[in-house]
Amino acid sequence: MRVSKFPLNTLKEIPSDAEIVSHQLMLRTGMIRKLGAGLYTWLPLGLRILRKAETIVREEMDLAGALEVLMPSVQPAELWQESGRWEQYGPELLRMHDRHNREFCYGPTHEEVITDLVRKQVRSYKELPLNLYQIQTKFRDEIRPRFGIMRSREFIMKDAYSFHETQDCLEQTYHGMYQAYSQIFSRMGLEFRAVDADTGSIGGNASHEFHVLAESGEDAIAYCESSDYAANVELAPLLPAAEKPLSKQAAEMSEVSTPDAKTIEQVSASLKLTAAQCVKTLLVKAEDGGLIALLLRGDHELNTLKAEKLDGVLAPLTFAEETEIKALIGCPPGFIGPLAIDCPVLADYSLIQQENFACGANKEGFHLINVNWTRDLPQPTFADLRNIQVGDPSPDGQGTIKICRGIEVGHIFQLGKKYSERLNASILDQNGKKTILTMGCYGIGVSRVVAATIEQNFDDRGICWPPALAPFQISILPINMDKSDKVRSFCEQLYSDLLTQGIEVLLDDRKARPGIMFADHDLIGIPHRVVVSERNLEKGVLEYKGRSDEESREISVEALKTELGQILKSI
RNA sequence: CGGGGCAUAGCGCAGCCUGGUAGCGCAUCUGCUUUGGGAGCAGAGGGUCAGAGGUUCGAAUCCUCUUGCCCCGACCA
């Protein structure tokens, strides 16, 4: 491709509403352009990259035995009513009417449509397992679209759905998809982790999220240094600490006046204790209409997901109103403690060994110090209530936890029978007996992958594309091409040679100054670059530089072709 | 959805408080000079100042409404 026929609409200045690097660079390089909130047009440069990502996904899905289909993006409401999600799905579902006033939605996902397809099409166990996928535009009316393509409302997704007679069979396909996903992200040159994910309200047995590791990631991931354990921080379980008897150092419990200390920070400061020596008492609503006290070490954070799964706790987790607290305890928030409290008490595992701790006195303006289990109050029920932290033991018992940030780019899920039951999707088994299908679903945010790749591969000059996603493999930058016939004819020859070799090459045939060419090609992140100048031609060499190399080096034409051939093979 | 902010040329911004008919940098176009890391000089084009209504002799500027966009917020004892 020639730059004269493939305009580089690059910007020197950063559009003011672009917050994260990928968004800034996608706008500056002219990959995308915003149409409205969460809506973007893919320009030729960006689309080239998006297509590369799609191609890799497609190839690996095909290789894993999935079959491509293309479903409508507009879906009739009836199917969603049948599955029950017409009511369940909130405002995130874009609903609309046609001219006959029939209801439709723009598909955020396709479980209903695919299940409908399969229930009509597939009759016999002999046709299973079946794994169908599509690469298609989805729409989710996000509360707050942001970060450009990363969290847009309209986006490109690869979604696959598998159908099975048995759970065993589902697990095999699930494993196959796990492998395929790993292969896809490896081929793209990404640093990623597969992490245990919430099976949540959908139920099912297993779910993994695939995260690209990047500072700007919206999710925190806990991973183990010495094993392949990884989980979303919200989900990573903590093991209970061992019980131990009251130690001899147990000091006398006493009441201390702490008039202005309401937060853990203030309490620990005024009592000259560390936050870890304090216990905080949170009151949440219970299923029976009353309250439940949750105890955490002062330096720990409550994990809402874990808490609302506990027996008796109201889901979604709701904190008690101030008036309810006053009615139950007789003092305002800030001075609550677990002693002599008239409601169930659940304490985090980390408090099992806690001694001589401080807590609220249930009396405005006072806290207790040197409180100890058994002696001063009965042992509460212990449970896993908090977020895992750096340095905690790994749940698989193999070393300690570290935390990094990740961008979720893929999610695989064992759905089970949720949709097939609701939509009555069944086949006849070997005995001629009707069997409800077991399903799996597998998504990749293809457009998000592109943004995530940039988050992981950039420097102060621009994007550094991994070769597999690069819009072009190599740039030819002629110096003074309009003045030097030698440079011109050499570049033209090299250009057509590389094209013949099957290499995607971008020849900068603009009448531009070298500085502009260097800046543009660095910005758009072409992995390889050769500079052709009269000076070097006289020496019979080219100047080569890899995008992330510190320095350029001289290279012969033959060596360049050989090297590029090698690189191409490795993609 | 709650809170805050913004809307002026393709992009980044000034002008608004104190009303007088729109400006700067980048980008674009022309010419000359330059030519190894976003050049210099000279010139040119490009704006219903988000929209509607109001006040006024006169509104980008003041008032009202509407729309769009951006940021923060679902961990508080």
Side-chain angles (χ1 to χ4, degrees):
Chain A
M1 187 56 76
R2 296 162 187 275
V3 174
S4 59
K5 302 231 168 67
F6 194 89
L8 302 178
N9 300 307
T10 55
L11 297 176
K12 214 189 297 188
E13 285 171 291
I14 302 171
S16 62
D17 55 4
E19 291 248 300
I20 58 169
V21 160
S22 61
H23 189 194
Q24 293 171 354
L25 288 174
M26 288 177 91
L27 290 169
R28 283 189 60 205
T29 53
M31 286 174 63
I32 55 168
R33 203 179 167 92
K34 182 161 102 168
L35 177 64
L39 302 172
Y40 291 87
T41 296
W42 288 84
L43 299 174
L45 180 69
L47 189 60
R48 264 184 99 92
I49 297 149
L50 183 65
R51 293 284 185 245
K52 297 249 166 141
E54 283 180 13
T55 301
I56 292 173
V57 169
R58 189 171 274 122
E59 286 174 3
E60 294 299 328
M61 290 302 291
D62 291 346
L63 211 60
L67 300 172
E68 187 168 3
V69 294
L70 185 58
M71 292 180 263
S73 51
V74 174
Q75 309 179 11
E78 283 82 358
L79 278 177
W80 285 71
Q81 285 156 354
E82 209 176 333
S83 73
R85 286 209 291 183
W86 189 256
E87 286 75 31
Q88 270 176 30
Y89 236 92
E92 206 172 286
L93 184 64
L94 177 65
R95 299 158 210 251
M96 51 194 157
H97 293 91
D98 70 1
R99 62 167 72 197
H100 305 294
N101 208 30
R102 287 187 289 241
E103 285 186 293
F104 291 86
C105 64
Y106 196 106
T109 173
H110 278 67
E111 280 84 4
E112 282 83 359
V113 177
I114 196 85
T115 308
D116 178 64
L117 175 76
V118 168
R119 74 177 164 181
K120 287 172 174 158
Q121 182 114 341
V122 178
R123 291 279 121 86
S124 158
Y125 73 95
K126 290 177 191 165
E127 296 170 69
L128 300 180
L130 184 61
N131 190 358
L132 300 171
Y133 77 96
Q134 63 176 347
I135 296 175
Q136 191 213 32
T137 298
K138 301 276 192 269
F139 189 93
R140 292 180 188 172
D141 202 351
E142 294 278 348
I143 301 173
R144 188 140 93 86
R146 57 184 139 177
F147 305 147
I149 287 296
M150 194 74 84
R151 183 172 289 286
S152 56
R153 294 194 293 174
E154 192 175 296
F155 58 99
I156 310 284
M157 176 163 156
K158 184 283 300 175
D159 48 328
Y161 308 88
S162 70
F163 296 85
H164 314 269
E165 190 187 347
T166 64
Q167 174 68 25
D168 267 7
C169 178
L170 166 62
E171 280 170 23
Q172 272 180 38
T173 297
Y174 183 86
H175 183 68
M177 284 292 104
Y178 187 105
Q179 299 298 332
Y181 274 39
S182 302
Q183 185 62 23
I184 286 167
F185 299 125
S186 300
R187 273 186 66 184
M188 289 177 177
L190 295 170
E191 202 186 325
F192 68 97
R193 277 261 180 173
V195 311
D196 286 352
D198 189 11
T199 51
S201 52
I202 307 184
N205 293 320
S207 174
H208 285 89
E209 289 170 357
F210 286 78
H211 284 260
V212 168
L213 307 184
E215 279 302 313
S216 60
E218 291 190 84
D219 294 293
I221 295 162
Y223 66 98
C224 176
E225 287 177 289
S226 33
S227 73
D228 62 358
Y229 178 83
N232 198 305
V233 160
E234 292 188 325
L235 296 166
L238 282 142
L239 306 172
E243 289 200 37
K244 70 174 189 189
L246 192 59
S247 74
K248 292 190 179 99
Q249 283 90 43
E252 192 78 3
M253 179 172 89
S254 59
E255 196 175 87
V256 190
S257 167
T258 50
D260 297 316
K262 293 186 174 181
T263 66
I264 289 295
E265 215 171 73
Q266 292 162 349
V267 170
S268 58
S270 90
L271 298 177
K272 304 218 170 16
L273 295 171
T274 62
Q277 290 172 286
C278 301
V279 165
K280 63 178 164 190
T281 309
L282 310 181
L283 289 175
V284 299
K285 299 197 179 184
E287 280 172 332
D288 63 10
L291 298 180
I292 293 180
L294 304 178
L295 307 188
L296 288 166
R297 221 168 73 183
D299 58 331
H300 287 157
E301 288 179 339
L302 177 67
N303 180 311
T304 318
L305 280 178
K306 289 177 180 177
E308 67 190 22
K309 281 182 194 156
L310 296 172
D311 280 349
V313 177
L314 181 70
L317 192 81
T318 317
F319 284 96
E321 310 282 341
E322 192 162 336
T323 48
E324 292 176 286
I325 296 176
K326 278 187 175 152
L328 180 76
I329 317 269
C331 82
F335 305 99
I336 312 171
L339 272 77
I341 196 169
D342 188 21
C343 71
V345 177
L346 295 170
D348 185 67
Y349 284 144
S350 59
L351 295 178
I352 292 176
Q353 297 190 356
Q354 193 86 350
E355 316 181 305
N356 294 334
F357 58 82
C359 63
N362 291 332
K363 192 164 139 193
E364 183 161 4
F366 292 92
H367 279 80
L368 298 171
I369 56 168
N370 296 324
V371 180
N372 287 283
W373 302 124
T374 321
R375 187 192 70 184
D376 305 321
L377 75 168
Q379 284 226 348
T381 308
F382 289 102
D384 180 12
L385 289 177
R386 69 177 173 101
N387 285 335
I388 202 162
Q389 290 182 339
V390 175
D392 279 328
S394 173
D396 67 356
Q398 317 233 346
T400 57
I401 286 296
K402 283 203 156 182
I403 290 177
C404 63
R405 301 202 71 82
I407 300 164
E408 185 189 347
V409 290
H411 199 161
I412 59 175
F413 224 108
Q414 293 185 20
L415 277 179
K417 299 185 175 173
K418 173 172 168 149
Y419 296 94
S420 48
E421 245 159 23
R422 293 267 176 102
L423 297 181
N424 194 24
S426 61
I427 43 107
L428 293 182
D429 68 11
Q430 233 165 334
N431 307 313
K433 211 181 113 201
K434 176 179 149 178
T435 305
I436 295 287
L437 291 166
T438 293
M439 293 172 60
C441 72
Y442 319 93
I444 290 181
V446 183
S447 41
R448 182 181 280 185
V449 165
V450 173
T453 304
I454 297 173
E455 290 296 328
Q456 207 177 68
N457 298 280
F458 70 93
D459 62 17
D460 54 359
R461 295 197 309 271
I463 303 171
C464 308
W465 287 113
L469 293 179
F472 299 95
Q473 293 310 316
I474 181 165
S475 296
I476 302 176
L477 306 188
I479 304 291
N480 277 332
M481 184 159 95
D482 58 314
K483 289 261 176 68
S484 164
D485 288 340
K486 222 189 226 170
V487 170
R488 171 179 294 275
S489 62
F490 183 89
C491 286
E492 289 290 348
Q493 187 61 48
L494 179 62
Y495 175 64
S496 75
D497 284 356
L498 293 178
L499 281 182
T500 311
Q501 219 181 320
I503 292 166
E504 293 169 302
V505 48
L506 184 61
L507 170 62
D508 200 332
D509 57 349
R510 290 178 293 183
K511 195 185 157 187
R513 303 162 59 81
I516 292 177
M517 294 195 289
F518 293 146
D520 271 349
H521 292 257
D522 282 346
L523 181 64
I524 66 173
I526 310 300
H528 310 280
R529 158 187 115 182
V530 285
V531 176
V532 180
S533 66
E534 196 141 342
R535 177 174 93 196
N536 281 332
L537 284 183
E538 277 162 18
K539 292 198 283 178
V541 295
L542 299 171
E543 180 187 312
Y544 168 86
K545 183 174 170 300
R547 175 62 180 82
S548 300
D549 295 347
E550 290 287 321
E551 298 287 335
S552 60
R553 62 179 208 264
E554 295 183 344
I555 189 172
S556 73
V557 177
E558 284 320 305
L560 175 73
K561 288 181 183 172
T562 315
E563 275 194 32
L564 284 176
Q566 300 278 326
I567 289 162
L568 205 65
K569 266 186 233 157
S570 69
I571 296 173

